Amino acid sequence: MGARVKARDAARRLATAAGGEQPAWIRLLSPDEVASFEGRDGPLAGIPFAVKDNLDLAGYPTTGGCPDLTEPAVRSAVAVQRLIDAGAVPVGKTNLDQFATGLVGTRSPYGACHCVADPAYVSGGSSSGSAVAVAAGLVPLALGTDTAGSGRVPAAFNGIVGVKPTRGLVSTRGLMPACRSLDCVSTFTRTVGEARAALNVLTGFDADDPWSRRPAPEPGIAERMRVLAVPDVPLDLDPPHAAAWRAALDRARELAAELVAVDVTPFLAAARLLYAGPWLAERWGAIGPLLDRPGVDPTVRAVVTPGREVTGAEVFAGLDRLAALRRAAEPVWADVDALLLPVTPGHPRRDEVAADPVGVNAVLGRYTNFVNLLDLCAVAVPAGQRPDRLPFGVQLVAPAFADGALLDLAARWCGEPAPPAGNGDGWMELAVCGAHLSGLPLNPQLLGYGGRLAYRARTAAGYRLFALPGGARPGLVHTGDGPAGGIAVQVWRLPQQAVGALLGAIAAPLGLGRLTLDDGRQVNGFIAGPEATGGTDISGYGGWRGYLASFPGR
């Protein structure tokens, strides 16, 4: 994880720089205090890290950005302690939008952080201090939190990597809650490799945290993400953001095997639920009793106080609406690996936020709020600069527990090496194109044999797909004159001994053969004999799932 700088030296350097105009820190530990954490062995030995001041560090107050909270924490938050146990060394507590209520980084009595590239622009929040501490090179790692985008917005605005893991993957015990059902501990680093090292340490089930979850990847999550979804309509972006987004789409075309345009309406509709009904009431329940204390930011008070008026009927109506939107969003993940979006619609100036603190803040969450609500994971990664040279960031979003594969994709985006996804001894790749696709009736056969979805792909040109008699399965035939775009397939990894058993369960005219993918790679797959051409040619649908989608109600 980069150069292993002595944490005490880092503490002295930070103390010297603490008087600058960037109020990243609420409390810096002295060199002697830092020394008390040094000396532990582990994968992060000697790495200095910062802690957002809504996470407990034993012996120090957790202010949440409110100076009136002065009681020292009895023990460290689980996430903080896991880093310490891995050898990392805390050097200070960082500034934030008070009580983690905001995406701007300006709602703090400790001062407003700003973008490291231009002090006229906001830093983003609520994890403002953690993000700028990493972006400015003060520490290589910082903990933040993410409830509505607080781990991604400041990462995008400052040109660094922000990881919002699957809810419950990292324990939130010892975190001052904002919305407990949505809160996640996030990380800020300069590289994806550093983020991966931190997340490996942070991940772990915590039986004492009722929101903690054991990893349980869905069968449809690919080990290697190759198919990216992008919105099927132009996004409402500020002009400099729009220019940077067009460049990011060009990068995505280079990176992905396929870009698929999808309807993001249910995602954006879910985002609009955050500050209404259940989650506004939940936020009031978490911090409402603190709002009468001295030093509470008036905008924070104005945003949260209406939560006390939310009725039970409104709560359940909101939950029902979210369930409907989650169901509407689910089909997007059938044939794509990750969704690519800008993190925000624009990058506001500090004076714009001062003039309209609630309105500007609300706009910033348009593309981030839905991730936690819909139980997804996300990584914000740098995507170059806008024409005005401000940093620009995009986010890669995927289903819950796809964190590892998503980090691999993020590494490829950033030009970093990712762990290879080889077959390994005793494993065989097998391409499927019909009822064995994830979520379809015969997919449990693959899962029962220990199969894992390796990646999504398309065949080379020259293949056609035919609906076989009975309508329950298709046959893929190499005719030499198939559509140029190929046919959608999934490549699964199976134990070699399982392939024979699976083949024995497949009825003619299907058999096992070699097929060529659109990138020239050859894999084993289910190929039909020429007699399958007597079925209905459905190649124009692009694949079996596309054909099924043409039947209403299926």
Side-chain angles (χ1 to χ4, degrees), residues 85-407:
D85 291 343
V89 181
V91 296
K93 306 291 292 292
T94 55
N95 201 357
L96 68 155
D97 279 320
Q98 194 174 70
F99 303 133
T101 301
L103 292 172
V104 287
T106 63
R107 301 173 176 177
S108 172
Y110 294 96
C113 294
H114 57 75
C115 171
V116 294
D118 189 331
Y121 288 82
V122 299
S123 64
S126 63
S127 308
S128 53
S130 288
V132 299
V134 170
L138 302 178
V139 288
L141 169 65
L143 291 180
T145 60
D146 190 309
T147 303
S150 293
R152 289 162 282 151
V153 171
F157 284 175
N158 293 282
I160 57 175
V161 176
V163 175
K164 200 295 297 182
T166 297
R167 286 185 341 215
L169 191 69
V170 178
S171 175
T172 55
R173 188 156 54 97
L175 164 65
M176 178 186 290
C179 290
R180 291 207 67 193
S181 66
L182 304 179
D183 292 340
C184 297
V185 176
S186 64
T187 62
F188 296 99
T189 56
R190 300 288 294 228
T191 69
V192 178
E194 291 170 321
R196 190 195 309 275
L199 191 61
N200 286 343
V201 167
L202 291 167
T203 298
F205 179 71
D206 178 9
D208 293 323
D209 175 7
W211 296 97
S212 184
R213 300 156 74 187
R214 292 183 173 88
E218 292 292 325
I221 294 174
E223 294 179 333
R224 193 181 337 149
M225 292 183 165
R226 304 174 73 246
V227 180
L228 291 185
V230 294
D232 63 354
V233 295
L235 298 175
D236 184 13
L237 304 176
D238 292 349
H241 250 51
W245 172 240
R246 288 192 293 272
L249 289 175
D250 290 339
R251 168 66 177 143
R253 293 184 186 97
E254 297 173 354
L255 177 73
E258 183 179 1
L259 285 187
V260 179
V262 300
D263 179 10
V264 295
T265 301
F267 297 90
L268 303 187
R272 292 192 291 270
L273 295 177
L274 186 70
Y275 282 97
W279 303 280
L280 185 57
E282 185 177 25
R283 197 175 286 265
W284 167 259
I287 64 175
L290 302 175
L291 296 183
D292 290 332
R293 289 177 175 263
V296 170
D297 183 271
T299 301
V300 172
R301 183 183 290 114
V303 167
V304 176
T305 298
R308 68 184 175 189
E309 308 300 332
V310 176
T311 67
E314 290 172 320
V315 167
F316 282 98
L319 293 173
D320 189 61
R321 174 63 174 155
L322 179 61
L325 291 170
R326 183 180 295 116
R327 184 55 45 85
E330 283 173 357
V332 166
W333 304 113
D335 290 308
V336 303
D337 297 314
L339 171 63
L340 176 70
L341 283 171
V343 176
T344 64
H347 191 159
R349 296 172 58 92
R350 294 169 68 183
D351 56 4
E352 292 172 328
V353 174
D356 183 13
V358 175
V360 172
N361 187 91
V363 170
L364 290 183
R366 182 180 299 159
Y367 303 129
T368 58
N369 290 353
F370 72 84
V371 173
N372 303 52
L373 286 163
L374 294 179
D375 195 16
L376 307 172
C377 59
V379 181
V381 289
Q385 294 178 329
R386 308 188 328 168
D388 57 7
R389 304 190 66 80
L390 287 180
F392 177 74
V394 296
Q395 58 183 332
L396 299 162
V397 182
F401 300 115
D403 304 77
L406 194 65
L407 284 175

